Amino acid sequence: MKELKKQNKNDAFKDFEYYPCLFDNLSYTPLEPTYFFQDSWAAKHIFDLKPQHHYDVGSSAKTISIISQFTPVTMIDIRPIELVLPNLYFMKGSILDLPFEDGSINSLSSLCVVEHIGLGRYGDPIDSFGSEKAIRELKRVLSEDGILLFSVPVDKVNKIFFNAHRAFTRDYIIELFDGFVVIDEKYHYGTKLYDEYDPQKGFGTGLFMMKKMVYECT
């Protein structure tokens, strides 16, 4: 700052305040690849689907705020959002007890949320079936023919990384979403996005677009 003050001839900037940023001189753009891939993937699907109103449970507020600018979105979370934005609505609620009637939502997302439930990370009670109960609620509120955008960590075996998150095999995810058909799925490993689950790659993130099947009465 001394050097800048010494050579400063810009009369528009005479007021200085010390605000050091010491670790940004990088040769690359730092990114968290999971959210980079996952959130762009979800946004594209919602943009293509153009629902009249979309609902999200617990995903990144930044991502949902962007999506809300082309589709009205109601976000449900245990932690209130205090910033106001047109087309973005907030409801306080838990993924274990969603404030909606059975089958009342036709466009729903929950991205990298379910894996945390029941591990106490966000103040929720310890529950070894927390993720399964959360998935049950997502299934309950989604309408027949409704679309769910969903993501969780994946691995070659079901595993708990206490108290951060769980990871799931693809087979277990498909089992938990019995009655749903997978329309699109992608897998993030390292710095790349793949079309297929590969347990040999170990820990990653699975992205699933699913439709709730219609059951006809006979």
Side-chain angles (χ1 to χ4, degrees):
M1 190 162 82
K2 288 182 180 180
E3 178 61 26
L4 181 61
K5 282 186 172 182
K6 180 180 178 181
Q7 61 91 32
N8 182 42
K9 297 180 180 179
N10 187 344
D11 292 335
F13 292 93
K14 293 299 185 182
D15 192 15
F16 285 79
E17 185 170 327
Y18 195 57
Y19 192 151
C21 298
L22 306 178
F23 306 104
D24 296 331
N25 185 13
L26 303 172
S27 60
Y28 62 92
T29 299
L31 289 169
E32 203 297 308
T34 297
Y35 288 91
F36 178 83
F37 287 124
Q38 164 193 275
D39 295 355
S40 59
W41 170 86
K44 180 184 185 304
H45 277 307
I46 295 171
F47 182 80
D48 289 344
L49 290 167
K50 295 180 173 58
Q52 290 187 345
H53 198 106
H54 181 74
Y55 292 81
D56 177 82
V57 183
S59 304
S60 163
K62 180 190 290 187
T63 300
I64 299 307
S65 73
I66 295 170
I67 291 171
S68 74
Q69 297 311 287
F70 58 81
T71 297
V73 180
T74 294
M75 185 173 182
I76 302 92
D77 202 300
I78 58 173
R79 299 170 295 186
I81 297 174
E82 297 183 355
L83 302 179
V84 177
L85 193 66
N87 257 13
L88 180 60
Y89 308 94
F90 178 80
M91 295 178 67
K92 187 172 183 178
S94 167
I95 195 171
L96 296 173
D97 186 20
L98 293 172
F100 303 107
E101 298 294 326
D102 294 0
S104 59
I105 293 174
N106 62 14
S107 183
L108 181 65
S109 59
S110 190
L111 306 173
C112 279
V113 177
V114 161
E115 66 269 23
H116 303 297
I117 308 304
L119 298 182
R121 178 173 174 177
Y122 298 105
D124 51 317
I126 298 296
D127 187 341
S128 60
F129 289 96
S131 292
E132 288 85 349
K133 291 176 181 178
I135 288 173
R136 195 179 305 146
E137 271 294 276
L138 296 175
K139 293 169 64 176
R140 178 186 68 80
V141 301
L142 196 67
S143 64
E144 291 187 348
D145 263 347
I147 296 294
L148 173 67
L149 298 170
F150 176 80
S151 69
V152 287
V154 293
D155 211 330
K156 58 185 177 182
V157 296
N158 293 327
K159 188 183 298 185
I160 294 175
F161 298 83
F162 189 80
N163 69 337
H165 53 251
R166 297 178 178 86
F168 306 78
T169 64
R170 182 186 185 275
D171 285 348
Y172 192 50
I173 290 298
I174 299 305
E175 177 185 332
L176 291 174
F177 280 98
D178 179 48
F180 282 62
V181 59
V182 177
I183 298 174
D184 181 41
E185 58 185 303
K186 295 286 188 287
Y187 295 89
H188 154 240
Y189 297 103
T191 59
K192 295 182 180 180
L193 197 63
Y194 298 85
D195 291 331
E196 296 181 352
Y197 171 65
D198 184 352
Q200 298 309 310
K201 286 186 168 65
F203 187 85
T205 306
L207 318 178
F208 302 90
M209 179 181 180
M210 305 181 184
K211 177 184 281 191
K212 189 173 183 178
M213 296 172 61
V214 176
Y215 292 95
E216 298 182 0
C217 296
T218 56

